[in-house]
Amino acid sequence: MISLLSCTTNQARLTVSPSSSQFFKEDFVSLSCEEDDSSAGWTLRRNTSKQQRSQCGDGWGRWTRSSCNISTLFTLDSGVYWCESREGPISNMVNLTVTGKLSVWS
């Protein structure tokens, strides 16, 4: 008899720094996959408002260790972000909204 508990995999937790879900255009954000098992091969994925599912490094962001750094946000970066492993499990999902900066004229 095989226990189903032996088939469970560790999950990652997606954290956003700075801790927010609302950003302005040209802001910086770092998204980290905090994981219990580094062998799971976690990567960061997103689904933007244009319905384009892709992973960090595919034209956006720079993957470093277990974090994806986006140095300059654009409004098109708004969307749902999550960590995903090669084995299939995913982390919590975070919905990021990027809006244009307000111009200040004196």
XYZ file of all heavy atoms in Angstrom:
826
model
N 0.841 -1.173 0.000
C 0.000 0.000 0.000
C 0.890 1.241 0.000
O 1.846 1.317 0.762
C -0.905 -0.011 1.232
C -1.772 1.219 1.333
S -2.826 1.169 2.790
C -4.281 0.508 2.045
N 0.575 2.203 -0.842
C 1.353 3.436 -0.944
C 0.597 4.553 -0.257
O -0.589 4.766 -0.523
C 1.601 3.807 -2.421
C 2.404 2.703 -3.104
C 2.329 5.143 -2.528
C 2.548 2.905 -4.593
N 1.293 5.257 0.600
C 0.679 6.386 1.285
C 0.674 7.611 0.373
O 1.681 7.933 -0.241
C 1.462 6.704 2.567
O 1.023 7.920 3.091
N -0.461 8.271 0.312
C -0.539 9.482 -0.498
C 0.336 10.591 0.067
O 0.800 11.455 -0.659
C -1.984 9.972 -0.590
C -2.930 9.086 -1.394
C -4.347 9.647 -1.343
C -2.464 8.987 -2.836
N 0.589 10.551 1.362
C 1.423 11.575 1.975
C 2.843 11.547 1.429
O 3.512 12.563 1.380
C 1.447 11.401 3.497
C 0.126 11.665 4.211
C 0.256 11.366 5.701
C -0.319 13.108 4.008
N 3.305 10.382 0.998
C 4.665 10.282 0.471
C 4.782 10.923 -0.903
O 5.875 11.122 -1.396
C 5.093 8.817 0.398
O 4.292 8.144 -0.549
N 3.652 11.251 -1.516
C 3.667 11.832 -2.859
C 3.562 13.353 -2.846
O 3.562 13.987 -3.884
C 2.512 11.271 -3.688
S 2.642 9.511 -3.938
N 3.430 13.934 -1.653
C 3.279 15.378 -1.609
C 4.600 16.070 -1.898
O 5.668 15.531 -1.637
C 2.760 15.840 -0.228
O 3.702 15.439 0.763
C 1.396 15.256 0.063
N 4.520 17.272 -2.469
C 5.722 18.050 -2.760
C 5.665 19.360 -1.995
O 4.592 19.844 -1.655
C 5.825 18.356 -4.268
O 4.649 19.054 -4.661
C 5.980 17.095 -5.075
N 6.830 19.909 -1.709
C 6.896 21.184 -1.021
C 6.447 22.297 -1.954
O 6.648 22.226 -3.154
C 8.328 21.455 -0.550
C 8.748 20.486 0.530
O 7.956 20.114 1.376
N 9.992 20.078 0.498
N 5.848 23.324 -1.378
C 5.383 24.433 -2.180
C 6.218 25.672 -1.895
O 6.798 25.809 -0.826
C 3.923 24.736 -1.883
C 2.978 23.747 -2.530
C 1.557 24.264 -2.551
O 1.168 25.088 -1.755
N 0.773 23.761 -3.486
N 6.261 26.548 -2.864
C 6.933 27.830 -2.692
C 5.902 28.871 -2.282
O 4.714 28.695 -2.478
C 7.613 28.246 -3.986
N 6.396 29.954 -1.725
C 5.542 31.079 -1.379
C 6.087 32.291 -2.118
O 7.270 32.612 -2.035
C 5.559 31.327 0.130
C 4.610 32.414 0.581
C 4.478 32.404 2.090
N 5.729 32.764 2.735
C 6.061 34.000 3.107
N 5.235 34.996 2.861
N 7.205 34.246 3.695
N 5.236 32.956 -2.881
C 5.641 34.137 -3.638
C 5.564 35.362 -2.738
O 4.527 35.642 -2.146
C 4.743 34.329 -4.856
C 4.968 35.589 -5.688
C 6.396 35.657 -6.204
C 3.985 35.656 -6.832
N 6.703 36.079 -2.639
C 6.718 37.321 -1.876
C 7.131 38.466 -2.795
O 7.927 38.271 -3.720
C 7.684 37.255 -0.673
O 8.997 36.951 -1.142
C 7.242 36.189 0.311
N 6.574 39.634 -2.540
C 6.817 40.813 -3.373
C 7.540 41.865 -2.541
O 7.155 42.139 -1.402
C 5.478 41.383 -3.895
C 5.722 42.588 -4.784
C 4.689 40.315 -4.639
N 8.594 42.455 -3.107
C 9.336 43.504 -2.436
C 9.570 44.675 -3.394
O 10.125 44.463 -4.473
C 10.675 42.961 -1.938
O 11.389 43.975 -1.271
N 9.150 45.879 -3.031
C 8.479 46.250 -1.785
C 7.095 45.610 -1.687
O 6.481 45.303 -2.699
C 8.380 47.776 -1.863
C 8.501 48.108 -3.310
C 9.344 47.033 -3.928
N 6.658 45.399 -0.448
C 5.418 44.679 -0.198
C 4.210 45.525 -0.608
O 3.770 46.397 0.131
C 5.326 44.315 1.282
O 4.150 43.596 1.521
N 3.730 45.269 -1.811
C 2.584 46.006 -2.345
C 2.016 45.243 -3.526
O 2.669 44.357 -4.071
C 3.029 47.407 -2.795
O 1.948 48.114 -3.351
N 0.812 45.579 -3.904
C 0.247 45.014 -5.130
C -0.017 46.133 -6.143
O -0.412 45.865 -7.263
C -1.046 44.245 -4.835
O -2.012 45.126 -4.289
N 0.227 47.377 -5.727
C 0.020 48.542 -6.589
C 1.365 49.237 -6.815
O 2.047 49.585 -5.847
C -0.931 49.534 -5.924
C -2.276 48.938 -5.574
C -3.334 49.255 -6.600
O -3.183 50.151 -7.404
N -4.407 48.495 -6.589
N 1.711 49.429 -8.080
C 2.977 50.066 -8.418
C 2.758 51.131 -9.476
O 1.743 51.145 -10.159
C 3.972 49.026 -8.949
C 4.426 48.052 -7.896
C 3.744 46.860 -7.695
C 5.529 48.321 -7.104
C 4.139 45.962 -6.726
C 5.935 47.431 -6.128
C 5.246 46.249 -5.938
N 3.750 52.021 -9.583
C 3.737 53.026 -10.631
C 4.678 52.616 -11.753
O 5.639 51.874 -11.529
C 4.170 54.394 -10.093
C 3.152 55.043 -9.201
C 3.419 55.231 -7.855
C 1.939 55.473 -9.713
C 2.486 55.839 -7.032
C 0.999 56.082 -8.893
C 1.271 56.260 -7.546
N 4.383 53.101 -12.932
C 5.252 52.875 -14.079
C 6.668 53.335 -13.724
O 6.838 54.358 -13.064
C 4.717 53.658 -15.279
C 5.324 53.256 -16.600
C 4.587 53.900 -17.750
C 5.078 55.307 -17.958
N 4.611 55.871 -19.237
N 7.651 52.566 -14.143
C 9.075 52.808 -13.931
C 9.555 52.436 -12.532
O 10.723 52.633 -12.210
C 9.463 54.255 -14.268
C 9.185 54.600 -15.733
C 9.510 56.040 -16.084
O 10.150 56.741 -15.266
O 9.124 56.467 -17.176
N 8.666 51.896 -11.668
C 9.093 51.402 -10.358
C 9.910 50.128 -10.520
O 9.897 49.491 -11.580
C 7.883 51.087 -9.470
C 7.297 52.320 -8.812
O 7.921 53.399 -8.902
O 6.206 52.193 -8.212
N 10.595 49.732 -9.450
C 11.330 48.469 -9.369
C 10.550 47.516 -8.483
O 9.961 47.929 -7.485
C 12.722 48.700 -8.767
C 13.428 47.429 -8.374
C 14.186 46.737 -9.301
C 13.326 46.931 -7.084
C 14.840 45.560 -8.942
C 13.966 45.754 -6.721
C 14.728 45.078 -7.653
N 10.551 46.233 -8.839
C 9.939 45.228 -7.978
C 10.758 43.938 -8.041
O 11.348 43.614 -9.069
C 8.459 44.951 -8.373
C 8.365 44.280 -9.738
C 7.761 44.115 -7.314
N 10.820 43.261 -6.913
C 11.482 41.965 -6.838
C 10.461 40.938 -6.357
O 9.798 41.147 -5.341
C 12.666 42.014 -5.874
O 13.293 40.751 -5.797
N 10.319 39.853 -7.103
C 9.377 38.788 -6.751
C 10.183 37.533 -6.443
O 10.962 37.079 -7.275
C 8.403 38.542 -7.905
C 7.602 39.774 -8.300
C 7.969 40.211 -9.702
C 6.127 39.502 -8.198
N 10.006 37.006 -5.233
C 10.822 35.880 -4.781
C 9.989 34.639 -4.538
O 8.903 34.705 -3.958
C 11.554 36.238 -3.485
O 12.408 37.332 -3.688
N 10.537 33.500 -4.979
C 9.927 32.203 -4.707
C 10.633 31.617 -3.489
O 11.720 31.058 -3.606
C 10.083 31.277 -5.906
S 9.286 31.857 -7.407
N 10.039 31.795 -2.323
C 10.609 31.240 -1.106
C 10.182 29.787 -1.027
O 8.993 29.487 -0.981
C 10.138 32.023 0.108
C 10.628 33.452 0.113
C 10.173 34.218 1.335
O 9.387 33.673 2.131
O 10.603 35.371 1.482
N 11.163 28.909 -1.022
C 10.868 27.486 -1.170
C 11.425 26.659 -0.032
O 12.412 27.021 0.592
C 11.435 26.996 -2.498
C 12.899 27.315 -2.681
C 13.385 27.136 -4.104
O 12.770 26.364 -4.840
O 14.379 27.763 -4.457
N 10.764 25.532 0.206
C 11.245 24.577 1.197
C 12.226 23.597 0.578
O 13.070 23.050 1.256
C 10.069 23.787 1.791
C 9.111 24.696 2.544
O 9.589 25.662 3.159
O 7.903 24.438 2.506
N 12.111 23.379 -0.720
C 12.923 22.377 -1.404
C 13.509 22.980 -2.672
O 12.836 23.113 -3.675
C 12.056 21.159 -1.743
C 12.847 20.064 -2.438
O 14.086 20.178 -2.530
O 12.217 19.089 -2.888
N 14.791 23.346 -2.616
C 15.422 24.009 -3.759
C 15.544 23.089 -4.966
O 15.755 23.549 -6.078
C 16.806 24.534 -3.373
O 17.627 23.469 -2.949
N 15.391 21.785 -4.769
C 15.504 20.855 -5.891
C 14.258 20.851 -6.763
O 14.233 20.233 -7.814
C 15.773 19.434 -5.375
O 14.646 18.957 -4.665
N 13.212 21.538 -6.312
C 11.958 21.525 -7.068
C 12.057 22.334 -8.356
O 11.237 22.177 -9.243
C 10.808 22.054 -6.198
N 13.035 23.221 -8.481
C 13.218 23.986 -9.701
C 12.131 25.013 -9.932
O 11.521 25.059 -10.984
N 11.887 25.868 -8.948
C 10.838 26.873 -9.066
C 11.231 27.967 -10.040
O 12.389 28.344 -10.139
C 10.546 27.494 -7.704
C 10.003 26.523 -6.714
C 10.719 25.866 -5.752
C 8.664 26.077 -6.593
N 9.886 25.048 -5.042
C 8.623 25.156 -5.526
C 7.488 26.370 -7.276
C 7.439 24.526 -5.130
C 6.314 25.745 -6.881
C 6.299 24.834 -5.821
N 10.254 28.487 -10.754
C 10.444 29.644 -11.623
C 9.225 30.537 -11.487
O 8.160 30.083 -11.052
C 10.657 29.228 -13.091
O 11.050 30.365 -13.848
C 9.409 28.605 -13.692
N 9.387 31.791 -11.848
C 8.280 32.737 -11.739
C 7.576 32.853 -13.079
O 8.214 33.012 -14.112
C 8.783 34.116 -11.302
C 7.652 35.101 -11.045
C 7.067 34.892 -9.665
C 8.126 36.524 -11.188
N 6.254 32.772 -13.058
C 5.452 32.923 -14.269
C 4.436 34.036 -14.056
O 4.142 34.421 -12.938
C 4.736 31.617 -14.613
C 5.672 30.495 -14.979
C 4.904 29.337 -15.590
N 5.768 28.212 -15.862
C 6.507 28.084 -16.955
N 6.488 29.023 -17.883
N 7.264 27.030 -17.135
N 3.880 34.497 -15.171
C 2.838 35.513 -15.077
C 1.859 35.378 -16.230
O 2.156 34.785 -17.264
C 3.438 36.915 -15.093
C 3.934 37.369 -16.451
C 4.464 38.784 -16.390
N 4.817 39.287 -17.717
C 5.327 40.476 -17.950
N 5.570 41.297 -16.935
N 5.615 40.868 -19.173
N 0.683 35.939 -16.021
C -0.328 36.057 -17.058
C -0.761 37.512 -17.037
O -1.378 37.965 -16.072
C -1.505 35.121 -16.783
C -2.389 34.958 -17.999
O -2.193 35.618 -19.015
N -3.374 34.089 -17.896
N -0.408 38.269 -18.079
C -0.675 39.701 -18.099
C -2.067 40.005 -18.635
O -2.795 39.110 -19.067
C 0.360 40.438 -18.975
O 0.210 39.989 -20.328
C 1.777 40.174 -18.504
N -2.390 41.297 -18.616
C -3.695 41.736 -19.121
C -3.865 41.418 -20.598
O -4.971 41.356 -21.101
C -3.858 43.242 -18.880
O -2.787 43.944 -19.475
N -2.758 41.202 -21.295
C -2.818 40.811 -22.706
C -2.935 39.290 -22.851
O -2.819 38.751 -23.945
C -1.551 41.274 -23.442
C -1.402 42.780 -23.518
C -2.372 43.364 -24.519
C -2.086 44.835 -24.727
N -3.026 45.445 -25.629
N -3.136 38.604 -21.715
C -3.300 37.146 -21.705
C -2.073 36.428 -22.253
O -2.174 35.411 -22.935
C -4.562 36.725 -22.473
C -5.837 37.309 -21.925
C -6.078 36.954 -20.465
O -5.918 35.811 -20.069
N -6.423 37.922 -19.654
N -0.907 36.958 -21.952
C 0.338 36.331 -22.393
C 1.003 35.656 -21.212
O 1.529 36.332 -20.330
C 1.281 37.369 -23.009
C 0.727 38.004 -24.266
C 1.604 39.131 -24.765
O 2.231 39.830 -24.001
N 1.634 39.298 -26.079
N 0.951 34.331 -21.180
C 1.587 33.582 -20.100
C 3.044 33.368 -20.460
O 3.357 32.843 -21.528
C 0.881 32.244 -19.909
C 1.424 31.470 -18.745
C 0.637 30.198 -18.535
N 1.200 29.467 -17.427
C 1.330 28.163 -17.386
N 0.933 27.441 -18.419
N 1.843 27.576 -16.347
N 3.938 33.783 -19.576
C 5.365 33.637 -19.836
C 6.110 33.541 -18.520
O 5.526 33.713 -17.449
C 5.885 34.806 -20.670
O 5.649 36.026 -19.997
N 7.405 33.280 -18.594
C 8.199 33.173 -17.380
C 9.258 34.260 -17.329
O 9.619 34.843 -18.352
C 8.846 31.795 -17.264
C 9.955 31.510 -18.251
C 10.493 30.106 -18.085
O 9.731 29.159 -17.917
N 11.803 29.970 -18.125
N 9.733 34.530 -16.136
C 10.745 35.556 -15.920
C 11.952 35.281 -16.800
O 12.439 34.153 -16.886
C 11.156 35.557 -14.451
S 12.406 36.782 -14.057
N 12.424 36.323 -17.483
C 13.563 36.183 -18.378
C 13.163 36.104 -19.836
O 13.993 36.298 -20.721
N 11.880 35.829 -20.093
C 11.378 35.780 -21.475
C 10.897 37.165 -21.902
O 9.699 37.411 -22.046
C 10.229 34.771 -21.612
C 10.700 33.332 -21.582
O 11.931 33.118 -21.626
O 9.847 32.435 -21.503
N 11.830 38.097 -22.047
C 11.483 39.443 -22.457
C 11.132 40.377 -21.313
O 10.879 41.555 -21.523
N 11.103 39.870 -20.102
C 10.823 40.716 -18.933
C 11.527 40.117 -17.723
O 11.647 38.908 -17.585
C 9.313 40.830 -18.670
C 8.657 39.520 -18.389
C 8.184 38.628 -19.311
C 8.430 38.919 -17.112
N 7.669 37.517 -18.682
C 7.805 37.671 -17.334
C 8.685 39.308 -15.805
C 7.430 36.820 -16.293
C 8.322 38.465 -14.766
C 7.694 37.243 -15.020
N 12.007 40.986 -16.854
C 12.623 40.546 -15.611
C 13.962 39.855 -15.789
O 14.344 39.458 -16.891
N 14.686 39.757 -14.687
C 15.966 39.043 -14.651
C 15.944 38.066 -13.492
O 15.748 38.456 -12.348
C 17.113 40.033 -14.489
C 18.474 39.346 -14.407
C 19.568 40.347 -14.410
N 19.607 41.006 -15.716
C 20.705 41.486 -16.259
N 21.850 41.411 -15.621
N 20.671 42.061 -17.441
N 16.109 36.785 -13.804
C 16.052 35.724 -12.802
C 17.409 35.605 -12.129
O 18.433 35.387 -12.780
C 15.657 34.410 -13.466
C 15.436 33.295 -12.495
C 16.259 32.233 -12.279
C 14.320 33.116 -11.619
N 15.721 31.407 -11.314
C 14.533 31.945 -10.895
C 13.169 33.860 -11.376
C 13.632 31.468 -9.947
C 12.274 33.394 -10.434
C 12.507 32.211 -9.731
N 17.440 35.762 -10.797
C 18.668 35.630 -10.010
C 18.362 34.769 -8.801
O 17.546 35.156 -7.964
C 19.170 37.012 -9.542
O 19.298 37.863 -10.670
C 20.500 36.903 -8.857
N 18.994 33.603 -8.739
C 18.737 32.621 -7.678
C 17.260 32.270 -7.650
O 16.765 31.643 -8.538
C 19.262 33.118 -6.342
C 20.759 33.268 -6.329
C 21.275 33.584 -4.969
N 22.701 33.854 -5.040
C 23.402 34.300 -4.060
N 22.822 34.530 -2.897
N 24.690 34.515 -4.193
N 16.537 32.715 -6.628
C 15.106 32.382 -6.569
C 14.239 33.638 -6.676
O 13.097 33.641 -6.235
C 14.796 31.641 -5.267
O 15.124 32.455 -4.156
N 14.807 34.711 -7.259
C 14.061 35.967 -7.384
C 14.042 36.460 -8.819
O 14.994 36.258 -9.572
C 14.694 37.053 -6.505
O 14.602 36.716 -5.151
N 12.955 37.136 -9.164
C 12.838 37.793 -10.452
C 12.793 39.289 -10.198
O 11.904 39.779 -9.489
C 11.568 37.339 -11.171
S 11.373 38.096 -12.806
N 13.774 40.002 -10.728
C 13.841 41.447 -10.541
C 13.398 42.158 -11.816
O 13.932 41.898 -12.887
C 15.264 41.876 -10.181
C 15.731 41.247 -8.880
O 14.973 41.173 -7.921
N 16.960 40.792 -8.849
N 12.422 43.027 -11.671
C 11.958 43.841 -12.795
C 12.395 45.269 -12.483
O 11.858 45.912 -11.579
C 10.435 43.756 -12.975
C 9.989 42.298 -13.114
C 10.002 44.559 -14.197
C 8.489 42.106 -13.169
N 13.394 45.755 -13.211
C 14.004 47.049 -12.882
C 13.131 48.229 -13.288
O 13.169 49.275 -12.654
C 15.383 47.167 -13.524
O 15.285 47.014 -14.924
N 12.344 48.082 -14.344
C 11.471 49.166 -14.801
C 10.109 48.588 -15.173
O 9.985 47.894 -16.179
C 12.076 49.885 -16.025
O 13.386 50.336 -15.701
C 11.220 51.071 -16.429
N 9.122 48.860 -14.353
C 7.773 48.358 -14.622
C 7.065 49.205 -15.674
O 7.283 50.409 -15.767
C 6.939 48.371 -13.340
C 7.230 47.286 -12.316
C 6.585 47.620 -10.982
C 6.760 45.934 -12.826
N 6.225 48.540 -16.454
C 5.366 49.202 -17.422
C 3.928 48.806 -17.116
O 3.686 47.791 -16.461
C 5.735 48.795 -18.850
C 7.130 49.210 -19.244
C 8.175 48.311 -19.165
C 7.383 50.500 -19.680
C 9.465 48.688 -19.518
C 8.669 50.891 -20.040
C 9.706 49.980 -19.957
N 2.968 49.588 -17.610
C 1.568 49.248 -17.349
C 1.226 47.864 -17.898
O 0.375 47.172 -17.346
C 0.620 50.312 -17.945
O 0.921 50.480 -19.331
C 0.779 51.643 -17.226
N 1.903 47.441 -18.956
C 1.652 46.111 -19.523
C 2.127 44.987 -18.615
O 1.835 43.813 -18.859
C 2.329 45.981 -20.890
C 1.729 46.837 -22.010
C 2.560 46.719 -23.282
C 0.286 46.450 -22.278
N 2.886 45.318 -17.549
C 3.333 44.307 -16.586
C 2.246 43.972 -15.573
O 2.424 43.077 -14.753
C 4.592 44.780 -15.850
C 5.811 44.829 -16.759
O 5.999 43.870 -17.535
O 6.568 45.814 -16.700
N 1.131 44.677 -15.619
C 0.006 44.348 -14.732
C -0.469 42.939 -15.040
O -0.580 42.551 -16.205
C -1.153 45.336 -14.943
O -0.795 46.627 -14.549
N -0.751 42.179 -13.995
C -1.245 40.823 -14.205
C -1.069 39.951 -12.976
O -0.755 40.435 -11.885
N -1.267 38.665 -13.157
C -1.175 37.683 -12.080
C 0.182 36.993 -12.161
O 0.595 36.526 -13.225
C -2.313 36.644 -12.182
C -2.188 35.601 -11.091
C -3.665 37.337 -12.117
N 0.869 36.913 -11.024
C 2.204 36.302 -10.926
C 2.165 35.139 -9.944
O 1.464 35.191 -8.937
C 3.218 37.341 -10.432
C 3.510 38.443 -11.427
C 2.587 39.462 -11.662
C 4.707 38.471 -12.136
C 2.849 40.473 -12.572
C 4.982 39.476 -13.045
C 4.049 40.476 -13.261
O 4.316 41.470 -14.156
N 2.932 34.084 -10.243
C 3.013 32.937 -9.353
C 4.309 32.185 -9.603
O 4.951 32.337 -10.638
C 1.812 32.014 -9.533
C 1.777 31.275 -10.842
C 2.276 30.031 -11.100
C 1.221 31.747 -12.082
N 2.057 29.700 -12.419
C 1.418 30.729 -13.043
C 0.580 32.932 -12.466
C 0.995 30.868 -14.357
C 0.174 33.058 -13.777
C 0.372 32.037 -14.703
N 4.686 31.346 -8.631
C 5.850 30.466 -8.764
C 5.341 29.088 -9.171
O 4.289 28.646 -8.711
C 6.608 30.346 -7.441
S 7.240 31.919 -6.831
N 6.108 28.417 -10.012
C 5.713 27.102 -10.508
C 6.943 26.205 -10.566
O 8.024 26.654 -10.933
C 5.097 27.256 -11.893
C 4.438 26.028 -12.443
C 3.727 26.324 -13.763
O 2.729 27.065 -13.763
O 4.206 25.815 -14.792
N 6.770 24.950 -10.218
C 7.898 24.020 -10.263
C 7.797 23.115 -11.487
O 6.759 23.027 -12.126
C 7.944 23.153 -8.997
O 7.024 22.091 -9.100
N 8.908 22.460 -11.782
C 8.919 21.507 -12.903
C 7.921 20.384 -12.677
O 7.366 19.828 -13.616
C 10.326 20.899 -13.053
C 11.369 21.854 -13.552
C 12.663 21.118 -13.805
N 13.209 20.519 -12.598
C 14.210 21.013 -11.896
N 14.777 22.140 -12.278
N 14.646 20.404 -10.823
N 7.687 20.057 -11.400
C 6.779 18.949 -11.084
C 5.311 19.351 -11.145
O 4.437 18.508 -11.048
C 7.101 18.392 -9.694
C 8.396 17.586 -9.647
C 9.624 18.497 -9.552
O 9.487 19.644 -9.078
O 10.709 18.061 -9.980
N 5.036 20.659 -11.257
C 3.651 21.082 -11.415
C 3.058 21.947 -10.321
O 2.238 22.801 -10.617
N 3.428 21.752 -9.035
C 2.791 22.569 -7.993
C 3.057 24.056 -8.192
O 4.091 24.441 -8.738
C 3.452 22.085 -6.700
C 3.986 20.739 -7.018
C 4.346 20.780 -8.474
N 2.100 24.864 -7.757
C 2.270 26.309 -7.869
C 2.111 26.947 -6.487
O 1.557 26.350 -5.566
C 1.271 26.937 -8.861
C -0.162 26.743 -8.377
C 1.472 26.381 -10.252
C -1.184 27.516 -9.193
N 2.589 28.188 -6.385
C 2.503 28.943 -5.133
C 1.203 29.734 -5.094
O 0.342 29.596 -5.966
C 3.686 29.914 -5.063
O 3.509 30.932 -6.047
N 1.106 30.585 -4.103
C 0.030 31.571 -4.070
C 0.171 32.490 -5.285
O 1.257 32.620 -5.851
C 0.109 32.396 -2.783
C 1.468 33.074 -2.625
O 2.508 32.417 -2.666
N 1.476 34.375 -2.443
N -0.906 33.090 -5.698
C -0.887 34.017 -6.833
C -1.013 35.441 -6.325
O -1.715 35.697 -5.346
C -2.019 33.707 -7.800
C -1.863 32.367 -8.474
S -3.165 32.090 -9.678
C -2.636 30.540 -10.383
N -0.291 36.353 -6.986
C -0.326 37.767 -6.612
C -0.729 38.573 -7.840
O -0.158 38.402 -8.916
C 1.048 38.234 -6.091
C 1.050 39.740 -5.855
C 1.421 37.485 -4.824
N -1.724 39.443 -7.672
C -2.188 40.292 -8.762
C -1.518 41.657 -8.614
O -1.775 42.379 -7.658
C -3.714 40.429 -8.704
C -4.279 41.049 -9.964
O -3.540 41.530 -10.821
N -5.581 41.052 -10.078
N -0.628 42.003 -9.558
C 0.058 43.290 -9.532
C -0.605 44.258 -10.509
O -0.940 43.877 -11.628
C 1.531 43.139 -9.915
C 2.411 42.294 -9.003
C 3.860 42.379 -9.463
C 2.289 42.736 -7.555
N -0.778 45.489 -10.067
C -1.336 46.539 -10.912
C -0.305 47.646 -11.058
O 0.227 48.140 -10.053
C -2.626 47.112 -10.289
O -3.567 46.049 -10.114
C -3.233 48.178 -11.182
N -0.003 48.012 -12.301
C 0.960 49.074 -12.585
C 0.216 50.210 -13.272
O -0.412 50.011 -14.311
C 2.111 48.580 -13.488
C 3.131 49.682 -13.708
C 2.775 47.336 -12.886
N 0.282 51.396 -12.672
C -0.387 52.567 -13.236
C 0.647 53.631 -13.592
O 1.773 53.607 -13.102
C -1.401 53.165 -12.240
O -0.716 53.501 -11.033
C -2.500 52.171 -11.936
N 0.259 54.565 -14.453
C 1.156 55.643 -14.848
C 1.388 56.612 -13.704
O 0.515 56.801 -12.851
N 2.569 57.210 -13.668
C 2.877 58.208 -12.647
C 2.149 59.509 -12.963
O 1.970 59.864 -14.116
C 4.380 58.465 -12.576
C 5.150 57.345 -11.917
C 6.580 57.743 -11.669
C 7.299 56.641 -10.928
N 8.678 56.955 -10.650
N 1.774 60.205 -11.902
C 1.135 61.504 -12.072
C 2.210 62.558 -12.303
O 3.221 62.591 -11.600
C 0.309 61.866 -10.828
C -0.860 60.939 -10.523
C -1.510 61.368 -9.196
C -1.895 61.003 -11.635
N 2.018 63.404 -13.275
C 2.966 64.495 -13.528
C 2.684 65.635 -12.560
O 1.532 65.986 -12.326
C 2.841 64.997 -14.959
O 3.169 63.975 -15.866
N 3.745 66.188 -12.003
C 3.598 67.322 -11.081
C 4.189 68.546 -11.761
O 5.371 68.585 -12.060
C 4.312 67.046 -9.747
C 4.180 68.253 -8.829
C 3.746 65.801 -9.086
N 3.328 69.517 -12.019
C 3.776 70.764 -12.675
C 3.618 71.907 -11.693
O 2.609 72.022 -11.024
C 2.936 71.036 -13.926
C 3.078 69.957 -14.950
C 2.280 68.887 -15.141
C 4.112 69.835 -15.941
N 2.730 68.093 -16.151
C 3.868 68.659 -16.683
C 5.238 70.622 -16.261
C 4.687 68.241 -17.713
C 6.039 70.195 -17.299
C 5.761 69.026 -18.014
N 4.614 72.770 -11.625
C 4.541 73.914 -10.714
C 4.080 75.157 -11.449
O 4.063 75.212 -12.655
C 5.889 74.164 -10.062
O 6.890 74.284 -11.046
